[in-house]
Amino acid sequence: MKHIISVLVENEAGVLSRVAGLFSARGFNIESLTVAPVGDGDTSRITLVTTGDNNIIEQINKQLNKLIPVIRVLDLTDGPHVERELMLIKVAAQGDKRAEVLRIADIFRSRVVDATPNAFTIEVTGDSGKLDACLALLEPLGITESVRTGKVAISRGSKGIRKEPKG
Amino acid sequence: MVKLTGAEIVVQTLLELGARTIFGYPGGAVLNIYDEIYKSKELKHILTRHEQGALHAADGYSRVTGEVGVALVTSGPGATNAVTGLATAHMDSIPMVCISGQVPSALIGNDAFQEADTVGITRSCTKHNFLVKDVNDLARTLREAFFIARTGRPGPVLVDIPKDVTINTAEYSNNGGQVDIRSYRPTNKGHSRQIRRVMDEILAAKRPLVYTGGGVILADAAEDLTTLIRTTGMPVTNTLMGLGAYPASDKQFVGMLGMHGTYEANMAVHNCDLLLAIGARFDDRVTGKIAEFAPEATIVHLDVDPTSISKNVVVDVPVVGDVKSVLEALNVMIKESDFKEKQPDLSDWWQEIDVWRKRECLRYPAKEDVVMPQMVVETLFKVTEGDAIVVTDVGQHQMWAAQYYGFDRPRRWLTSGGLGTMGYGLPAALGAKAAKSDQPVVLITGEGSLQMNIQEFATLAQERLAVKVVILNNNFLGMVRQWQEFFYDNRYSEVDMTVTPDFLKLADAYGATGLRATRPEEVEKVLRQAMETEGTVIVDIHTDREANVYPMVPAGAALNEMILL
């Protein structure tokens, strides 16, 4: 089963390779991984999407916690949460197709962030299914390239990821 | 506050943290640190002949003392040579700090002379590692390294220090090694409700078995374990790493378990209704076929490392915490309850175990003209009265040492259990002797393993450290040969070790004493002579070339499918 795991880490050199190295060394899957500093910048938040049975997910959770610079690990899949992904798509569109591209962009509430006489670049945000659907519709119109951030996610409700020490 | 150079801070902080003896090898990137070592009267440095030797020596030092072992190596090849030593300590959870030199900060990433990405290379074979970029962080980082190395599940920590950081100055004051790492707070106390569940499981068990690993040794919890075993009357087995946690001479000890464990220990695991694992990690060499491991048992697991729990075998009652504090709490709980009245009678279970014991699985045939390796270890036990610090390398001799030298006390058995590092023995024995100069240190090795770090005889000579080296010399890489005999139709591929140095001449070359035995009746005499002779002694004992280690659970088989002699 697919799990979205949030990892709050010290924002220091080498943390990402510790996390990525853990996954490759132990043979765990990573479907996507995003990382950026949060708060006052002394911590970073990693969101990673992985798959595995309950035992594997439990190991992933424990192994992540064991890494020294990891402050907190949260499996967002355990509770209600919001997930979002951002995608930029470049569509080579000329003539009649240009209007069609804009119509589709509109349906997905996406924005045109770059326009040239023979191409549009569109920014779409949403859950992964929405991004997949958008891609599928634009595909016949000629996608030159696309790029996705991978999922970021946050739990619903008032509680935040705790920053106090482990243990 | 005084300003010190980085090199001065290294030496001062090591002293602050209690290090008095370190093992290392100098080089360009660590020249400034070595200059401070030259000036220091308090910090003793032992110059090994190879960085791998320095790491294993620090490891051996740690295993016999329980303190953090310290090694110092230079950048590039110094650091890459340290890798096997780090990986060995990592697999066996040995607290160590390795300081490595690094090229100056400005040159990092430039493929400079003697540059290696040490932090990258050692990431997966250390508990944690650091690159110190600012001299102001140096003392704190070293304190954190020691703290991380010795707390929680212990392990090796590497601190990589660029050369310019050793020249730059920063304020330093001794803070007694205090640290505060918000993202690292290992669990120490076990949950009392879980500990009560452990007691309840013991009370419910008619066929309980306690299985303990290196964690009991590392936590210095052997006494607490012994109390638990004596008050509950349960049988106990140790892993290879756990030998000495419970007296081997006691009748409640059923021997080592696993691939070369005793028949009674493995049958007890297979038939028990409660398996109480303490400071052990269900390694594949212990469990055999995982699906058929302890099939009838409720599994209780006490360990400081949550990742060890339910990693290989699903655990019914987990207790996370320092093994010593958990055992103390459990012992108190048992003492203060009506445990004695409630506990079921275990005599039927002991009768079953006694039937397995009668198989005498460690019996071996004596030969008239050929020395049996098992007999050498038994004789060594007799000659040393079972009280030597015994170090091994890896292979058949290691298993015979584990099977036939009964350890009654912890921290007297040093072996590379997890990584299985040939060449571990001689430098580890050196480190052990450096720590315990008043106690006999014996290395049981093979002619293959010994040659992997043989250069350390020079270090022993230079430091006047006396190690008694007993070579079970069968002119084969014996364990590989045994597997080739059993599983590859006797096709002995590249295991012939007929050509070795003449160990008597080698002893002479290194200023040691060389002795040899080729017949059974000579063994006791040469071993006694070795123990009575001053200085390092190499005892070359020619043993039965094709003796095998029995009993054996073939890889992938269940524990009740043992090959017995």
Side-chain angles (χ1 to χ4, degrees), chain B residues 49 426 454-469 502-515 530 533-539:
Chain B
R49 294 301 183 267
L426 188 61
I454 203 159
Q455 74 285 348
E456 299 307 333
F457 277 117
T459 315
L460 287 174
Q462 182 170 341
E463 296 294 330
R464 298 179 193 280
L465 294 170
V467 170
K468 315 300 177 188
V469 179
D502 178 332
F503 289 109
L504 298 191
K505 287 183 180 163
L506 184 93
D508 202 31
Y510 279 113
T513 306
L515 299 170
T533 305
E534 257 189 55
T536 292
V537 181
I538 302 178
V539 192

Side-chain angles (χ1 to χ4, degrees), chain B residues 493-561:
Chain B
S493 178
E494 302 299 325
V495 287
D496 187 286
M497 277 271 147
T498 321
V499 177
T500 63
D502 178 332
F503 289 109
L504 298 191
K505 287 183 180 163
L506 184 93
D508 202 31
Y510 279 113
T513 306
L515 299 170
R516 180 171 287 144
T518 57
R519 299 184 49 81
E521 65 272 17
E522 298 166 349
V523 171
E524 184 166 341
K525 201 182 96 218
V526 294
L527 289 178
R528 283 199 188 281
Q529 201 182 334
M531 298 312 294
E532 284 156 14
T533 305
E534 257 189 55
T536 292
V537 181
I538 302 178
V539 192
D540 180 24
I541 302 184
H542 293 194
T543 60
D544 187 17
R545 284 204 80 193
E546 299 189 52
N548 289 321
V549 180
Y550 292 110
M552 179 174 183
V553 179
L559 289 187
N560 64 339
E561 300 170 304

Side-chain angles (χ1 to χ4, degrees), chain B residues 55-272:
Chain B
L55 271 288
H56 291 326
D59 171 312
Y61 187 93
S62 173
R63 289 191 206 218
V64 294
T65 60
E67 293 163 22
V68 177
V70 184
L72 171 59
V73 300
T74 193
S75 64
T80 56
N81 278 344
V83 167
T84 302
L86 290 169
T88 303
H90 191 45
M91 286 288 267
D92 290 346
S93 307
I94 304 304
M96 262 174 40
V97 168
C98 176
I99 297 171
S100 55
Q102 182 54 277
V103 300
S105 309
L107 291 180
I108 289 178
N110 281 18
D111 297 332
F113 177 65
Q114 291 197 327
E115 180 180 359
D117 172 16
T118 304
V119 170
I121 289 168
T122 60
R123 191 165 289 134
S124 59
C125 59
T126 53
K127 182 173 173 185
H128 193 58
N129 60 17
F130 296 93
L131 170 64
V132 183
K133 287 177 175 161
D134 183 341
V135 69
N136 291 298
D137 298 332
L138 184 54
R140 179 179 52 80
T141 305
L142 286 168
R143 289 172 190 135
E144 289 183 359
F146 270 69
F147 180 73
I148 291 168
R150 64 180 167 73
T151 54
R153 180 179 176 176
V157 178
L158 177 131
V159 181
D160 202 27
I161 309 177
K163 191 171 185 180
D164 53 311
V165 173
T166 66
I167 305 165
N168 296 342
T169 59
E171 286 182 343
Y172 167 83
S173 67
N174 185 328
N175 83 346
Q178 293 220 320
V179 298
D180 179 34
I181 311 171
R182 68 169 168 180
S183 61
Y184 176 71
R185 301 279 160 93
T187 313
N188 285 322
K189 291 247 174 297
H191 201 290
S192 61
R193 201 179 57 220
Q194 290 299 91
I195 298 174
R196 184 159 296 276
R197 281 181 70 192
V198 176
M199 186 174 79
D200 292 344
E201 290 295 346
I202 298 174
L203 279 174
K206 295 193 174 70
R207 301 189 310 278
L209 177 70
V210 179
Y211 139 56
T212 82
V216 175
I217 311 274
L218 291 163
D220 288 319
E223 265 185 52
D224 310 279
L225 173 70
T226 304
T227 305
L228 176 73
I229 301 302
R230 297 255 160 96
T231 51
T232 58
M234 294 187 286
V236 57
T237 176
N238 295 157
T239 67
L240 180 70
M241 292 304 299
L243 295 175
Y246 188 82
S249 57
D250 190 85
K251 61 182 192 314
Q252 279 174 263
F253 183 64
V254 295
M256 182 171 77
L257 81 165
M259 183 173 275
H260 293 298
T262 63
Y263 181 68
E264 51 270 34
N266 285 337
M267 290 304 282
V269 174
H270 198 78
N271 290 283
C272 66

Side-chain angles (χ1 to χ4, degrees), chain B residues 381-447:
Chain B
F381 179 85
K382 193 170 100 185
V383 167
T384 56
E385 293 169 350
D387 205 28
I389 292 170
V390 175
V391 188
T392 75
D393 271 297
V394 171
Q396 285 185 315
H397 71 268
Q398 178 189 27
M399 293 300 119
W400 285 318
Q403 291 174 326
Y404 295 93
Y405 199 103
F407 294 90
D408 276 1
R409 289 197 281 152
R411 298 201 179 276
R412 310 187 74 73
W413 163 244
L414 283 65
T415 198
S416 170
L419 195 67
T421 308
M422 289 174 73
Y424 169 78
L426 188 61
L430 185 162
K433 189 66 188 180
K436 301 279 178 190
S437 58
D438 57 333
Q439 295 179 28
V441 175
V442 180
L443 167 63
I444 299 175
T445 183
E447 79 288 351

Side-chain angles (χ1 to χ4, degrees), chain A residues 10 17 59 62 68 166, chain B residues 123 182-183 185 307 309:
Chain A
E10 296 290 352
S17 58
Q59 266 298 311
K62 287 175 173 176
I68 308 289
K166 285 191 281 206
Chain B
R123 191 165 289 134
R182 68 169 168 180
S183 61
R185 301 279 160 93
T307 64
I309 291 173

